[in-house]
Amino acid sequence: MTDMPDTTLTSHPSHDSPLEVDTDDAVDYYTPGAPIGDTKAPDGPINERWQTRKFEARLVNPANRRKLSVIIVGTGLAGASAAATLGEAGYVVKSFCYQDSPRRAHSIAAQGGINAAKNYKEDGDSVHRLFYDTVKGGDYRSRESNVYRLAEVSTSIIDQCVAQGVPFAREYGGLLDNRSFGGVQVSRTFYARGQTGQQLLIGAYQALERQVAAGTVETFTRHEMLEVIVVDDGDTSRARGIIARDMVTGEIETHLADVVVLASGGYGNVFYLSTNAMGCNVTAAWRAHRKGAYMANPCYTQIHPTCIPVSGAHQSKLTLMSESLRNDGRMWVPRTKADCEKDPRSIAEEDRDYFLERIYPSFGNLVPRDIASRAAKNMCDEGRGVGPEVDGVRRGVYLDFADAIARLGKDGVEEKYDNLLDMYERITGENPYEVPMRIYPAVHYVMGGLWVDYDLQSSIPGLFVTGEANFSDHGANRLGASALMQGLADGYFVLPHTIRDYLADGPFEKVDEDHPAVLEARSAVEKRIEHFLTVNGTRSVDSYHRELGHIMWEYCGMERTEDGLKKAIDLIRTLRDDFNRNLKVLGTADSLNQSLEKAGRVADFIELGELMCIDALNRRESCGGHFRAESQTEDGEALRHDDQYAYVAAWEFAGGEAGTMGKPVLHKEHLVYTAIEMKQRSYK
């Protein structure tokens, strides 16, 4: 079976039917704003737009590039590749990361692979099919011009990485190997065992360090961006630099440039428990949001189905098991509750429910992440979960490799997945070659982020956003192996072309460190730090983060309801008030102080959490990872309402002192599809 013949929805918008649906009481939480649009994507056939834009974007001659400076925040795949490419082009680049080395960026944790429409398997793949799968996988809530460009440049990414020496897996004859990932029926995912992110990051890091040695890039490790500097030049307000804190000495530093690029990753740690590294945070993006950058679709959170289950309240992080395991592993639970405590090896085949294969026969275990996650949750909600009870509930399903071992042999499975299965055994103490793995969904990736146009420029001129920090490519659900693709596409092949159109207006007027806008930004950072250190309450930062995470998971997690979201907003506001009055941060500002770092990050998470719940409350439909219980089909699938919600929700900060938020302003970017027809997703 193929995935093409879905049922067309009867109502979806056109250019002539603007979306105005601010009628329910969700509007009590926000202010309707003027509609917005992407003015940078050219008209014409979708397969010609990127070539047209590259030609139309103005050039910067090599002599002028040496006079233009770029700040890049983040050294993951998006940030490192952008810094390397812009440095090689001749711009003066400053690269910032809070880790002790660019190689410690969270991109290193990606395991399964990177997509590219190479069609090496001759199984019907193409640029258009990758484009189609990505838009469909995102439940028709992404901007089609950006997604097509992503699919178009995907093939160049693989060539670039091979040239850098990335050790992709190869077939016997030496050709690059591919495997499948969820949501597709072709093999287009290139991989390096279970270390794809690490190997790709090493490649980008080598390119970055080459430019450091050449003198075009200067790196600032253990530096955290705490504010963006926005300067009014009389014509418009532009991003011209950042305020950063040296995390070792505590020194507050001012760094100025002609343009700022945020490649600071996602905000999944708002849930406290997630697959993200402990240091991942939203501060860079949120500080920009407070200065005028729109935050788009913040409620779109990806729940990854293949994670090691929670083992108790002591945990502060969850561990991802690559989605590639679903190529050969089969997900199942016992058919009856009585068997849930049994050794899985003793449960007969006829007493097992391979629920994904039963419900979605066409895609089986390779349905998209949101589909697989909800199905696993439903099995556990029915009381058929497996593994130890945590808070009275068994939150786990089996991922079984017995059939794969019988078919390929243990050596064949080891060759494909050994480091992943070894990692599982080290963490759980169970041998997955002998006993089925236990997995459960967990917060992983966020599709929301700062709003950008086709050029990757935010609503603040001169502030560009790449990778997971922006919203543009994945809609309401990201397909597996697409995060690495987007990060490298943005850094190597998109931003270097689009940023030059902005920099062609330079060199810009010099901004001094005593400029009023610079002094104001620096003063705001210093006052904020002083506040955290002088509240002198009784609660730790971690206790607030854990409580926020519980609220977000319970009411804005895998399933959302109107009453639950309203309750969450009230709880978050109460938590924020207590945070401002009762926070306890030990230490001083003039040295290494991790409690102080966490205080700023959690303060931003609290404000973001409120906006996420407001966004989810306003979107009274189910799409992708955003599942509203009030909007589902008779058989429990997500039910979109294209006549009302086929738009990007771009939120403008409405003002407010530190620790407070006014009613955010909602701007809608109408989504129009010219190359794809919006359909009800079906993987059955």
Side-chain angles (χ1 to χ4, degrees):
M1 295 177 65
T2 67
D3 58 342
M4 291 297 187
D6 299 337
T7 304
T8 304
L9 294 181
T10 56
S11 57
H12 57 266
S14 67
H15 280 292
D16 301 321
S17 57
L19 300 165
E20 298 296 340
V21 202
D22 300 311
T23 56
D24 60 81
D25 57 358
V27 78
D28 294 338
Y29 293 89
Y30 69 87
T31 302
I36 60 172
D38 172 23
T39 60
K40 299 292 180 60
D43 293 327
I46 196 167
N47 61 333
E48 297 177 6
R49 293 177 190 174
W50 178 227
Q51 298 303 322
T52 300
R53 181 60 187 143
K54 284 195 293 184
F55 178 76
E56 291 178 346
R58 293 169 294 168
L59 301 176
V60 180
N61 77 62
N64 281 345
R65 292 177 210 161
R66 294 190 291 270
K67 304 173 186 176
L68 293 166
S69 55
V70 182
I71 284 174
I72 300 178
V73 180
T75 58
L77 289 180
S81 58
T85 307
L86 294 175
E88 188 172 17
Y91 298 101
V92 179
V93 179
K94 287 184 176 182
S95 170
F96 292 81
C97 67
Y98 67 78
Q99 297 92 345
D100 57 3
S101 165
R103 283 186 58 179
R104 296 292 295 274
H106 186 55
S107 297
I108 203 170
Q111 300 167 343
I114 177 171
N115 287 331
K118 286 284 197 179
N119 195 31
Y120 281 176
K121 295 290 188 180
E122 293 291 343
D123 55 2
D125 200 13
S126 65
V127 167
H128 193 86
R129 187 172 294 278
L130 175 54
F131 160 60
Y132 171 83
D133 287 343
T134 304
V135 173
K136 176 186 175 182
D139 221 348
Y140 303 92
R141 290 295 178 262
S142 53
R143 185 192 289 151
E144 73 167 9
S145 55
N146 290 62
V147 177
Y148 194 92
R149 175 176 64 190
L150 176 64
E152 186 177 350
V153 304
S154 67
T155 56
S156 299
I157 297 171
I158 302 303
D159 297 339
Q160 169 92 0
C161 294
V162 169
Q164 290 174 339
V166 173
F168 287 120
R170 294 179 180 269
E171 296 178 332
Y172 178 77
L175 299 177
L176 297 184
D177 197 11
N178 293 135
R179 57 190 179 196
S180 298
F181 258 61
V184 304
Q185 293 177 314
V186 298
S187 294
R188 65 161 66 101
T189 303
F190 296 78
Y191 64 99
R193 298 177 68 196
Q195 308 168 354
T196 313
Q198 178 180 359
Q199 298 301 331
L200 291 172
L201 186 61
I202 290 173
Y205 172 74
Q206 290 175 153
L208 172 64
E209 288 301 309
R210 179 177 182 271
Q211 297 311 127
V212 171
T216 62
V217 177
E218 183 179 8
T219 56
F220 294 82
T221 60
R222 302 301 296 275
H223 279 68
E224 183 167 27
M225 172 188 154
L226 297 179
E227 190 60 273
V228 61
I229 298 169
V230 179
V231 175
D232 187 347
D233 63 5
D235 178 36
T236 188
S237 294
R238 302 177 185 272
R240 293 300 304 271
I242 65 171
I243 305 296
R245 180 176 182 269
D246 184 320
M247 295 164 63
V248 177
T249 67
E251 182 180 357
I252 305 300
E253 301 177 359
T254 299
H255 295 272
L256 299 168
D258 294 301
V259 68
V260 176
V261 178
L262 298 186
S264 50
Y267 49 81
N269 274 353
V270 68
F271 290 88
Y272 187 70
L273 285 177
S274 80
T275 67
N276 289 263
M278 292 291 290
C280 292
N281 62 85
V282 75
T283 289
W286 193 255
R287 295 292 101 193
H289 173 61
R290 274 183 156 264
K291 280 295 185 72
Y294 296 166
M295 180 66 76
N297 298 335
C299 79
Y300 286 163
T301 305
Q302 177 162 85
I303 311 295
H304 197 296
T306 318
C307 303
I308 296 179
V310 174
S311 59
H314 62 281
Q315 279 187 271
S316 56
K317 187 187 183 305
L318 298 175
T319 303
L320 170 70
M321 290 281 98
S322 169
E323 181 175 313
S324 63
L325 295 172
R326 289 198 280 139
N327 269 289
D328 291 299
R330 301 176 69 192
M331 293 174 65
W332 66 273
V333 293
R335 290 190 180 276
T336 63
K337 298 178 183 179
D339 287 343
C340 291
E341 296 185 37
K342 291 183 178 179
D343 185 321
R345 293 168 293 185
S346 69
I347 300 175
E349 189 73 14
E350 61 269 19
D351 294 327
R352 302 179 178 190
D353 180 7
Y354 294 92
F355 55 93
L356 291 182
E357 298 170 32
R358 171 175 55 84
I359 303 171
Y360 307 101
S362 179
F363 280 72
N365 293 291
L366 287 176
V367 293
R369 291 174 175 176
D370 60 318
I371 305 289
S373 295
R374 280 197 299 275
K377 176 181 182 295
N378 290 340
M379 296 301 106
C380 296
D381 289 348
E382 290 178 9
R384 293 195 284 151
V386 298
E389 290 188 357
V390 178
D391 297 328
V393 181
R394 300 182 192 276
R395 295 185 178 89
V397 300
Y398 290 124
L399 184 63
D400 197 335
F401 279 84
D403 283 359
I405 292 172
R407 185 178 72 254
L408 303 172
K410 183 181 177 184
D411 290 345
V413 173
E414 278 185 340
E415 184 178 350
K416 296 175 72 173
Y417 306 113
D418 65 331
N419 58 315
L420 294 172
L421 300 183
D422 286 349
M423 179 171 67
Y424 177 87
E425 184 174 8
R426 288 197 300 270
I427 292 172
T428 65
E430 299 174 358
N431 185 342
Y433 293 102
E434 299 175 358
V435 182
M437 297 174 68
R438 287 179 294 105
I439 58 170
Y440 192 72
V443 171
H444 178 53
Y445 187 93
V446 292
M447 287 71 66
L450 294 179
W451 182 91
V452 292
D453 61 18
Y454 192 64
D455 283 359
L456 304 183
Q457 185 171 210
S458 74
S459 50
I460 300 177
L463 180 69
F464 290 76
V465 190
T466 62
E468 190 180 359
N470 75 35
F471 88 98
S472 66
D473 291 0
H474 305 298
N477 175 62
R478 178 177 68 82
L479 290 181
S482 289
L484 304 184
M485 176 175 61
Q486 186 205 350
L488 292 180
D490 285 355
Y492 281 137
F493 299 107
V494 178
L495 182 72
H497 287 290
T498 61
I499 201 171
R500 60 179 165 83
D501 187 66
Y502 178 84
L503 289 173
D505 289 328
F508 298 95
E509 183 178 349
K510 182 174 170 42
V511 175
D512 296 319
E513 290 196 13
D514 60 356
H515 188 286
V518 178
L519 296 177
E520 179 184 2
R522 187 183 182 99
S523 175
V525 169
E526 292 169 344
K527 289 179 179 177
R528 193 164 186 253
I529 289 174
E530 182 182 9
H531 167 73
F532 293 143
L533 290 170
T534 57
V535 173
N536 201 29
T538 61
R539 287 188 61 179
S540 69
V541 178
D542 285 335
S543 73
Y544 284 106
H545 194 182
R546 187 183 293 273
E547 184 174 343
L548 173 66
H550 177 75
I551 294 169
M552 295 299 296
W553 180 251
E554 284 295 313
Y555 303 110
C556 197
M558 291 183 67
E559 184 174 306
R560 297 106 185 250
T561 66
E562 179 176 345
D563 290 342
L565 290 165
K566 289 179 179 178
K567 182 177 181 180
I569 293 169
D570 290 340
L571 289 171
I572 291 171
R573 289 173 176 174
T574 300
L575 184 68
R576 181 182 65 224
D577 292 342
D578 191 73
F579 179 88
N580 291 328
R581 291 183 289 102
N582 201 26
L583 175 68
K584 180 73 171 182
V585 176
L586 300 174
T588 63
D590 57 359
S591 63
L592 177 67
N593 189 338
Q594 292 183 321
S595 293
L596 178 59
E597 297 163 15
K598 291 179 182 178
R601 296 169 185 174
V602 172
D604 293 332
F605 276 141
I606 290 173
E607 293 186 359
L608 167 68
E610 181 178 338
L611 182 61
M612 290 173 68
C613 292
I614 292 173
D615 186 36
L617 180 63
N618 170 66
R619 191 168 287 276
R620 298 171 64 90
E621 67 167 351
S622 293
C623 55
H626 167 65
F627 190 80
R628 284 288 295 268
E630 304 92 340
S631 183
Q632 54 184 302
T633 63
E634 291 183 358
D635 53 355
E637 301 292 346
L639 178 62
R640 299 195 322 265
H641 300 294
D642 292 340
D643 56 333
Q644 301 177 56
Y645 296 105
Y647 63 77
V648 176
W651 297 92
E652 178 184 1
F653 186 72
E657 298 299 323
T660 65
M661 283 177 57
K663 289 173 65 174
V665 179
L666 173 59
H667 302 276
K668 300 175 182 179
E669 179 196 337
H670 186 47
L671 289 172
V672 177
Y673 292 98
T674 61
I676 286 181
E677 187 177 26
M678 280 193 278
K679 301 176 180 180
Q680 180 68 36
R681 282 198 306 170
S682 175
Y683 294 94
K684 296 184 176 182

